[in-house]
Amino acid sequence: MASQRVLVTYVAAQSFQSSDSWSHFLAALRSLLPLRNLHWKPASRPNLRTVQELDVSLVPLDSLRDEHTSQVPVTLLEKPLLNLYVLSCEDVETYKTIVKKQIKDWHTSVNQRKNQEWLIIHVARPDSKNVDRKFFSMKGSVLDKIKADFNTDKRDRCVQLAWSMGEQSPAVWADLIGKIKDGLLAAFDTAVQAREEEVKRSEGQRHMPGWNFCTYFILKESLATSFEGVNLFEDALQQYNELEATFMNVLGEKNMSWFGNLINPTPKDDSLPLLSSSKKSYRELILANTISVFDLRVYLLARQSMLLNKMQQPIEICRKAMLFLSTFGKRLREIEKALPEHFVESWIFSSALSVVDQCDSWASSWPELEGIALARYNANKGELLELAKSQLDILGVKVGHLPPKPPFSMAIQTVTTTPGSPLPERNSSQRISKYEILLAVGDSEAFYDLYCTISNQAIDMYVKAGRRKFALKLHGCLAALDKHRGRLSNALAIFSSLPAHYAPHMWTSLESFMLSRAIDTHTLLQKPRDREWIHLLLAFLRTYVNETSTEPLISHNIDHYVTKLATALREVSEKLDSDLAHPDHPVMALEISKDVRCSQDEDLVYLTVLIHNHLPCDVDVDEVGVVLVGEDTARLKFTGKFTKLVPGKNCVTLTCPTSSHGTYVHESTEIQIAHLHLQWNHKGGGGTGMALTSRKRATSSFAFLPTVSTFPSLTLLGLHPLSGRVAALGTSPRLHLIISSGRNDLAAASVKLSAPAGITFDFVNSQLHSKGAGEIDVLEDGISIFNVPPKSNTIILVPHSDVTRFRAIKIDVSITYKTVRDPALERTLRTSKVATVALPVAVNVEDFFRGERLFSRFTISTTTQQHVRISSARLLAPLGAQGVKILGCRPSHSVMTAVPDRPVSYIFCIESDRGPVLDPLELVISYRLLREEVEALVNKTVEDVLHQLSQESEVGTKIVQGIIEYLECDASWVALYNITGELIIPTSLDVDGEAKEVFSSVQKILSQPNPPSPSLGPWREMTIPVDVPKMNIVADAWIAVRPFPQTEDSPHSECPPIYAGQALSATVCITTSLHWNDPDNKGQRYRMRYDVEERTKDWLICGRKRGDFVVQDKITFNVSLTLVPLHHGYISLPKADVRPLPLDGEENVPRVLPSSDTHQSHGTETVLVLPRGGRSTFIVNMGTERV
């Protein structure tokens, strides 16, 4: 439909029209067109409409004298919306006599026209504007006369234009353009309201006899074309959408008497462009009431698409076309027998391709699409191309170019309808006109080429849109086509590669179908069944297990097909030359039950598992293995030999020759089918935690987190690493490794240890403890043990590297052993143990020099929250040392206890006849943890009670374990035990019947007072080397106060009373000693400086308060001072600070400052100063009595 412009007529006064200004005026007015930014607020619509640009045609009024009398409404724009009258008159009298009559004749003519507006334009010279408008003038201007004569209503339809030739300023034309816009919008609004009333009236008569949809269609479409003419495309599209909805309602009511047939196929109907509205005379067919439903729907779609094109919405065009072709194509298939052969396929094929081409043609004039909009556009084009490809699927199956099976048969739709009237017979002379379809029907190669071309175009669109899943589906169709054409190698390559792309998108059915095709194609090619074939088969079985659809794409018996493949899998696996591992296959699922039990006569653990076979057939397996992982590297492998797993659940028992215990997690599973190993890793997925315990108290039901005691079991092999009981700082540390044989008669065992990075074990220098059983053989990487009888311990001392930076180290232990009873079976024990290597105590030392004596105070504190018992602390002189005498203070208790907030101190006095002690002393501390003492006490008490009652040792083990577990959980007993040595054990502990008597006796004994004794249990010993410090100068300073002359022999005699302000004679005495000086430096000349402390609030000091002196061994340096106390009370004497001066040396060499230690002998002395006598009188005002 040709685009229309809004008509505006004009008439000019004869005088103005004959002037030279008229042509210039008309040209200037046309140069302002088209109009822009018109804002229309229709009364029947809630929102304001904005017309960005409006094309206007200025035509003379006399050119439209022939009125359109047609009763067929086409558009509201076929008649003028505005009529202009232009005049140029500046004389009022001329206006009255000549111009007024001309305007009146014109006005009478245009007023008779419906839905049209008029406007009078008075053109005046800019310099003459308002020349007649004087305040007291009785005459009005020409413009005023025109308004008075013709503005009969409230609207002002007269405008003055102050213009001269050559004037191009937009401001001059602003009022005129505004009036023209208002007139056009007012006329258009009136016309639209009138036409909408006609449409409503016609629609209201729809259910009345004689109502015709075609007439209604033409009336409704006139509104759409009118909106389109003024560039209101959304309103125009809304009219066509409402027409489509009304048509669907009429179709549902079966009121189709005014329509022709569903379709009247004409030549080239199947090949003409779908979105062309000019390929047929659609309006004539509608007016004649002979248009078919097919043509009407096509015309509606074409008109909608043309409007969407102007709105630049290609995605909506494709969507509407896709929906129309899909739905109306189904309707045409109901009468397919009455249509030319292959008409439906040809029409849908041609229409889909024509829509893609038309959209691309339209899009070339739009702004370039980007981002999401471009992706959606390409996706819609891909869907249209895929629709065209599906018509080739249907056509190919019909003519025999394609086999009638998936994926080609998926496009064929079964239509079962019962027409209301018999279908007309197909006219044999009618044929389709699409050349490509005609060629493809007769030539299979041409069909295949066309099929590949359309499929590749669709794939390209999907790839550009980012829809890989849709592209992959079409790749599968091409692979199926290659297989049908005998191109098996190409088909196998595509079938094998596609499932990897389907899997992430959970397209299980399609993935399974492609894999089955790959397997069948592999068989047709007669390729060897190698590892590649096994991977294909396992991938197919994965999809078979995961398939949830009740209608799989595979046409044959799926269970029989899978059974056949499973049998072939076993045969091929047996022929492999090496093992093939495949991870996480869902064909089997294993579940661990809690039925974990231990053998009663050997180190063997049984594990019950439930295996789910998801295949529909029996599976022969060679071995099932389950690996459980404990802390760190502790792993147990349970295995079992089996022959067949039936479909569904299989209960299987696995065994593991181990003596490990603790909490383990299911880490991995392996099922061996010949050389094929199906493996599952459960650790990352949060496997089920379970407890495996090998203690005698275990039953068939196990807790998930058992409490594991530190005591060795009497039945199983066990290992406990302990730090050495004798520790000497500065020597190589050794680890005590205790291996308990339990019930096993060990023939041979291999022990391997590993520790954190930086710690190494010296296995070569390991030694067997004198109290240990069996024999050992040391190797580079471990220790071998031989001939260890049952119920005995092997104690091995293993040196290791420095561990001072660690408090405790975790040791991974791996023991493989064989017993005399079953030497062919190798058993394992893998566990992790924590050995405390840090010393539980810390020692700090303070040295105090007093002349020729040295007092050292050693403070022993705990490094943890543990309480530490200290039996003794001894400071020993080195062997061969002469003239060294060490005296220690006797402790208040035989056993001291160091707690975290209260350390223990020991003081020693060192005397040396020969000066400084050059060799280091040794501090030997005997200690043990309070925990060790309590464990020893409990063990000794239980042993004594068992001996008295003649009970078995296993009963005592249970009691000891129960008591220790209680003490670990509750620390309230520590305070009472530290004071009285009593251990109060509650009777609520879980004790068996046979052990109750023993427990009662033990409980009674432990509740009695038991002061700590050095004889109870073993003690640890720690030896620390102690270097005796050297000091160049040791000084002793004091101040002697003498109120009257005294001799130096009695400096500390009692003094008479001292009063505030009394001058006192004082002597500063400094005695120096070089006893602790290095013998090589005793000839050195030392100088020191003294400085008496200034205490201006207490003392006034007169005399030489600061000075230097030469140091002499055992010589006293004296200085006299005068002290004046400034107040009464007990006043401490000032201190005398004595410091060494740097030694004399060479020039440009740093001077060395000798070491010194000064003791203030008078540091604790005070002087009692009395106040001076006298009398003071104070008058206190007691106040006056109130009235």
Side-chain angles (χ1 to χ4, degrees), residues 848-901:
F848 306 94
F849 289 93
R850 297 293 184 267
E852 296 182 358
R853 293 181 180 182
L854 174 63
F855 294 90
S856 295
R857 180 173 68 186
F858 294 88
T859 302
I860 303 173
S861 59
T862 63
T863 58
T864 64
Q865 296 300 317
Q866 295 278 352
H867 293 204
V868 180
R869 298 285 205 189
I870 300 176
S871 174
S872 63
R874 297 168 294 160
L875 187 63
L876 305 179
L879 295 176
Q882 297 181 357
V884 178
K885 181 179 180 182
I886 301 175
L887 300 176
C889 298
R890 178 178 297 179
S892 58
H893 297 87
S894 59
V895 177
M896 306 290 289
T897 303
V899 297
D901 56 347

Coordinates of all heavy atoms in Angstrom, one line a residue, residues 848-901:
F848 N 72.7 -12.7 90.4 CA 72.9 -11.6 91.4 C 74.3 -11.8 91.9 O 74.7 -12.8 92.6 CB 71.9 -11.6 92.5 CG 70.5 -11.7 92.1 CD1 69.8 -12.9 92.0 CD2 69.8 -10.5 91.8 CE1 68.5 -12.9 91.6 CE2 68.5 -10.5 91.4 CZ 67.8 -11.7 91.3
F849 N 75.2 -10.8 91.5 CA 76.6 -10.8 92.0 C 76.7 -10.1 93.4 O 76.2 -9.0 93.5 CB 77.5 -10.1 91.0 CG 77.7 -10.9 89.7 CD1 76.9 -10.7 88.6 CD2 78.7 -11.9 89.6 CE1 77.0 -11.4 87.5 CE2 78.9 -12.6 88.5 CZ 78.0 -12.3 87.4
R850 N 77.3 -10.8 94.3 CA 77.5 -10.2 95.6 C 79.0 -10.5 96.0 O 79.3 -11.5 96.6 CB 76.6 -10.8 96.7 CG 75.1 -10.6 96.4 CD 74.8 -9.1 96.6 NE 73.4 -8.8 96.5 CZ 72.9 -8.4 95.3 NH1 73.6 -8.3 94.2 NH2 71.6 -8.2 95.2
G851 N 79.9 -9.6 95.6 CA 81.3 -9.8 95.9 C 81.8 -11.0 95.2 O 81.8 -11.2 93.9
E852 N 82.3 -12.0 96.0 CA 82.9 -13.2 95.4 C 81.8 -14.3 95.3 O 82.2 -15.5 95.0 CB 84.1 -13.7 96.2 CG 85.2 -12.7 96.2 CD 86.4 -13.2 97.0 OE1 86.3 -14.3 97.6 OE2 87.5 -12.5 97.0
R853 N 80.6 -14.0 95.5 CA 79.5 -15.0 95.4 C 78.6 -14.6 94.3 O 78.4 -13.4 94.0 CB 78.7 -15.1 96.7 CG 79.5 -15.6 97.9 CD 78.6 -15.7 99.1 NE 79.3 -16.2 100.3 CZ 78.8 -16.4 101.5 NH1 77.5 -16.0 101.7 NH2 79.5 -16.9 102.5
L854 N 78.0 -15.7 93.7 CA 77.0 -15.5 92.7 C 75.7 -16.3 93.0 O 75.7 -17.5 93.2 CB 77.5 -16.0 91.3 CG 76.5 -16.0 90.2 CD1 76.0 -14.6 89.8 CD2 77.1 -16.7 88.9
F855 N 74.6 -15.5 93.2 CA 73.3 -16.1 93.5 C 72.5 -16.2 92.2 O 72.3 -15.2 91.5 CB 72.5 -15.3 94.5 CG 73.2 -15.3 95.9 CD1 74.1 -14.3 96.2 CD2 72.9 -16.3 96.8 CE1 74.7 -14.3 97.4 CE2 73.5 -16.3 98.0 CZ 74.4 -15.3 98.4
S856 N 72.0 -17.5 91.8 CA 71.2 -17.7 90.6 C 69.9 -18.2 91.0 O 69.8 -19.2 91.8 CB 71.9 -18.7 89.7 OG 73.2 -18.2 89.2
R857 N 68.8 -17.6 90.5 CA 67.5 -18.0 90.8 C 66.9 -18.6 89.5 O 66.8 -17.9 88.5 CB 66.6 -16.9 91.3 CG 65.2 -17.3 91.6 CD 64.4 -16.2 92.2 NE 64.2 -15.1 91.3 CZ 63.6 -13.9 91.7 NH1 63.2 -13.7 92.9 NH2 63.5 -12.9 90.8
F858 N 66.5 -19.9 89.5 CA 65.9 -20.6 88.4 C 64.4 -20.6 88.6 O 64.0 -21.2 89.6 CB 66.5 -22.0 88.2 CG 68.0 -21.9 87.8 CD1 69.0 -21.9 88.8 CD2 68.4 -21.9 86.5 CE1 70.3 -21.9 88.5 CE2 69.7 -21.9 86.2 CZ 70.7 -21.9 87.2
T859 N 63.7 -20.1 87.6 CA 62.2 -20.1 87.7 C 61.7 -21.1 86.7 O 62.0 -20.9 85.5 CB 61.6 -18.7 87.4 OG1 62.2 -17.8 88.3 CG2 60.1 -18.7 87.5
I860 N 61.0 -22.1 87.2 CA 60.5 -23.2 86.3 C 59.0 -22.9 86.1 O 58.2 -22.9 87.1 CB 60.8 -24.5 86.9 CG1 62.3 -24.7 87.1 CG2 60.2 -25.6 86.0 CD1 62.6 -26.0 87.9
S861 N 58.5 -22.7 84.9 CA 57.1 -22.5 84.6 C 56.6 -23.5 83.5 O 57.4 -24.1 82.8 CB 56.9 -21.1 84.1 OG 57.7 -20.8 82.9
T862 N 55.3 -23.7 83.4 CA 54.8 -24.6 82.4 C 54.6 -23.8 81.1 O 54.3 -22.7 81.1 CB 53.4 -25.2 82.9 OG1 52.5 -24.1 83.0 CG2 53.6 -25.8 84.2
T863 N 54.8 -24.6 80.0 CA 54.6 -24.0 78.7 C 53.2 -24.3 78.1 O 52.8 -23.7 77.1 CB 55.6 -24.5 77.7 OG1 55.5 -26.0 77.7 CG2 57.0 -24.2 78.1
T864 N 52.4 -25.1 78.8 CA 51.1 -25.4 78.4 C 50.1 -25.2 79.6 O 50.5 -24.7 80.6 CB 51.0 -26.8 77.9 OG1 51.3 -27.8 78.9 CG2 51.9 -27.1 76.7
Q865 N 48.9 -25.6 79.4 CA 47.9 -25.6 80.5 C 48.0 -26.8 81.4 O 47.2 -26.9 82.4 CB 46.5 -25.5 79.9 CG 46.2 -24.2 79.1 CD 46.4 -23.0 80.0 OE1 46.0 -22.9 81.1 NE2 47.1 -22.0 79.4
Q866 N 48.9 -27.7 81.1 CA 49.1 -28.9 82.0 C 49.8 -28.5 83.3 O 50.7 -27.6 83.3 CB 49.9 -29.9 81.2 CG 49.3 -30.5 80.0 CD 48.3 -31.6 80.3 OE1 48.2 -32.0 81.5 NE2 47.5 -32.0 79.3
H867 N 49.4 -29.2 84.4 CA 50.2 -29.1 85.6 C 51.4 -30.0 85.6 O 51.3 -31.1 85.1 CB 49.3 -29.4 86.8 CG 48.1 -28.5 87.0 ND1 47.5 -28.3 88.2 CD2 47.5 -27.6 86.2 CE1 46.6 -27.4 88.1 NE2 46.6 -26.9 86.8
V868 N 52.5 -29.5 86.2 CA 53.7 -30.3 86.1 C 54.2 -30.5 87.5 O 54.3 -29.5 88.3 CB 54.8 -29.6 85.3 CG1 56.1 -30.4 85.3 CG2 54.3 -29.3 83.9
R869 N 54.5 -31.8 87.9 CA 55.1 -32.1 89.2 C 56.6 -32.1 89.0 O 57.2 -32.5 88.0 CB 54.7 -33.5 89.6 CG 53.2 -33.7 89.8 CD 52.8 -33.1 91.1 NE 51.6 -33.8 91.6 CZ 50.8 -33.4 92.6 NH1 51.2 -32.2 93.2 NH2 49.8 -34.0 93.0
I870 N 57.3 -31.4 90.0 CA 58.8 -31.3 90.0 C 59.3 -32.0 91.3 O 59.0 -31.6 92.4 CB 59.2 -29.8 89.9 CG1 58.7 -29.2 88.6 CG2 60.7 -29.7 89.9 CD1 59.0 -27.7 88.5
S871 N 60.1 -33.0 91.0 CA 60.6 -33.7 92.2 C 61.9 -33.1 92.7 O 62.0 -32.9 94.0 CB 60.9 -35.2 91.8 OG 61.6 -35.9 92.8
S872 N 62.7 -32.6 91.9 CA 64.0 -32.0 92.4 C 64.5 -31.1 91.2 O 64.2 -31.3 90.1 CB 65.0 -33.0 92.8 OG 65.4 -33.8 91.7
A873 N 65.4 -30.2 91.6 CA 66.2 -29.4 90.7 C 67.6 -29.2 91.3 O 67.8 -28.7 92.4 CB 65.6 -28.0 90.5
R874 N 68.6 -29.7 90.5 CA 70.0 -29.7 91.0 C 70.9 -29.0 90.0 O 70.7 -29.2 88.8 CB 70.5 -31.2 91.2 CG 69.7 -32.0 92.2 CD 70.0 -33.5 92.1 NE 69.6 -34.0 90.8 CZ 70.1 -35.1 90.3 NH1 71.0 -35.8 90.9 NH2 69.6 -35.6 89.1
L875 N 71.8 -28.2 90.6 CA 72.7 -27.5 89.8 C 74.1 -28.2 90.1 O 74.6 -28.1 91.2 CB 72.8 -26.0 90.2 CG 73.7 -25.1 89.3 CD1 73.2 -25.2 87.8 CD2 73.7 -23.7 89.8
L876 N 74.7 -28.8 89.1 CA 75.9 -29.6 89.2 C 77.1 -28.9 88.5 O 76.9 -28.4 87.5 CB 75.7 -31.0 88.6 CG 74.4 -31.8 89.1 CD1 74.3 -33.1 88.4 CD2 74.5 -32.0 90.7
A877 N 78.2 -29.0 89.2 CA 79.4 -28.5 88.7 C 80.0 -29.5 87.7 O 79.8 -30.7 87.8 CB 80.4 -28.2 89.8
P878 N 80.7 -29.0 86.7 CA 81.3 -30.0 85.7 C 82.4 -30.9 86.4 O 83.0 -30.5 87.4 CB 81.9 -29.1 84.7 CG 82.2 -27.8 85.4 CD 81.1 -27.6 86.4
L879 N 82.5 -32.0 85.8 CA 83.5 -33.0 86.3 C 84.9 -32.4 86.2 O 85.3 -31.8 85.2 CB 83.5 -34.3 85.6 CG 82.1 -35.1 85.7 CD1 82.2 -36.3 84.8 CD2 81.9 -35.4 87.1
G880 N 85.7 -32.5 87.3 CA 87.0 -32.0 87.3 C 87.1 -30.5 87.7 O 88.3 -30.0 87.7
A881 N 86.0 -29.9 87.9 CA 86.1 -28.4 88.3 C 86.6 -28.4 89.8 O 86.1 -29.0 90.7 CB 84.7 -27.8 88.2
Q882 N 87.6 -27.5 90.0 CA 88.2 -27.3 91.3 C 87.8 -25.9 91.9 O 87.8 -25.0 91.1 CB 89.7 -27.5 91.3 CG 90.1 -28.9 90.8 CD 91.6 -29.1 90.8 OE1 92.4 -28.2 91.1 NE2 92.0 -30.3 90.5
G883 N 87.6 -25.9 93.2 CA 87.4 -24.6 93.8 C 86.0 -24.1 93.6 O 85.7 -22.9 93.9
V884 N 85.1 -24.9 93.0 CA 83.7 -24.5 92.8 C 82.8 -25.1 93.8 O 82.8 -26.3 94.0 CB 83.2 -24.8 91.4 CG1 81.8 -24.4 91.1 CG2 84.2 -24.1 90.3
K885 N 82.0 -24.3 94.5 CA 81.1 -24.8 95.5 C 79.7 -24.3 95.2 O 79.5 -23.1 95.0 CB 81.6 -24.4 96.9 CG 80.7 -24.9 98.0 CD 81.3 -24.4 99.4 CE 80.4 -24.9 100.5 NZ 80.9 -24.4 101.8
I886 N 78.7 -25.2 95.2 CA 77.4 -24.9 94.9 C 76.5 -25.3 96.0 O 76.5 -26.4 96.4 CB 76.9 -25.5 93.6 CG1 77.8 -25.1 92.4 CG2 75.4 -25.2 93.3 CD1 77.5 -25.8 91.1
L887 N 75.7 -24.3 96.5 CA 74.8 -24.6 97.6 C 73.4 -24.2 97.1 O 73.2 -23.3 96.4 CB 75.1 -23.7 98.9 CG 76.5 -23.9 99.5 CD1 76.8 -22.9 100.6 CD2 76.7 -25.4 100.0
G888 N 72.4 -25.1 97.5 CA 71.0 -24.9 97.1 C 70.1 -24.8 98.3 O 70.4 -25.3 99.4
C889 N 69.0 -24.1 98.1 CA 68.0 -24.0 99.2 C 67.2 -25.2 99.3 O 66.8 -25.8 98.2 CB 67.2 -22.7 99.0 SG 68.1 -21.2 99.0
R890 N 66.8 -25.6 100.4 CA 65.9 -26.8 100.6 C 64.5 -26.4 100.2 O 63.9 -25.4 100.8 CB 66.0 -27.3 102.0 CG 65.1 -28.5 102.3 CD 65.2 -29.0 103.7 NE 66.6 -29.5 103.9 CZ 67.0 -30.0 105.1 NH1 66.1 -30.1 106.1 NH2 68.2 -30.5 105.2
P891 N 63.8 -27.1 99.4 CA 62.4 -26.8 99.0 C 61.5 -27.0 100.2 O 61.7 -27.8 101.1 CB 62.1 -27.7 97.8 CG 63.0 -28.8 98.0 CD 64.3 -28.3 98.6
S892 N 60.3 -26.3 100.1 CA 59.3 -26.5 101.2 C 58.6 -27.8 101.2 O 58.2 -28.3 102.2 CB 58.3 -25.3 101.1 OG 57.7 -25.4 99.9
H893 N 58.5 -28.4 100.0 CA 57.9 -29.8 99.8 C 58.8 -30.7 99.0 O 59.6 -30.2 98.2 CB 56.5 -29.6 99.1 CG 55.5 -28.8 99.9 ND1 55.5 -27.4 99.8 CD2 54.6 -29.1 100.8 CE1 54.5 -26.9 100.6 NE2 54.0 -28.0 101.2
S894 N 58.6 -32.0 99.3 CA 59.4 -32.9 98.5 C 59.1 -32.9 97.0 O 59.9 -33.1 96.2 CB 59.3 -34.3 99.1 OG 57.9 -34.7 99.0
V895 N 57.8 -32.7 96.7 CA 57.3 -32.6 95.3 C 56.6 -31.3 95.2 O 55.6 -31.0 95.9 CB 56.4 -33.8 95.0 CG1 55.9 -33.6 93.5 CG2 57.1 -35.1 95.1
M896 N 57.1 -30.4 94.2 CA 56.5 -29.1 93.9 C 55.6 -29.3 92.7 O 55.8 -30.1 91.8 CB 57.6 -28.1 93.7 CG 58.6 -28.0 94.8 SD 57.9 -27.3 96.3 CE 57.7 -25.6 95.8
T897 N 54.6 -28.4 92.6 CA 53.7 -28.4 91.5 C 53.7 -27.0 90.8 O 53.5 -26.0 91.4 CB 52.3 -28.7 91.9 OG1 52.2 -30.0 92.6 CG2 51.3 -28.8 90.7
A898 N 54.0 -27.1 89.5 CA 54.0 -25.8 88.7 C 52.7 -25.8 87.9 O 52.4 -26.7 87.1 CB 55.2 -25.8 87.7
V899 N 52.0 -24.7 88.1 CA 50.8 -24.5 87.4 C 50.9 -23.3 86.4 O 51.9 -22.6 86.6 CB 49.6 -24.3 88.3 CG1 49.4 -25.6 89.2 CG2 49.8 -23.1 89.2
P900 N 50.0 -23.2 85.5 CA 50.2 -22.1 84.5 C 50.4 -20.7 85.1 O 51.2 -19.9 84.6 CB 49.0 -22.2 83.6 CG 48.6 -23.6 83.7 CD 48.9 -24.1 85.1
D901 N 49.7 -20.4 86.2 CA 49.8 -19.0 86.8 C 50.7 -19.0 88.0 O 50.8 -18.0 88.7 CB 48.5 -18.5 87.1 CG 47.7 -19.4 88.0 OD1 48.1 -20.6 88.2 OD2 46.6 -19.0 88.6

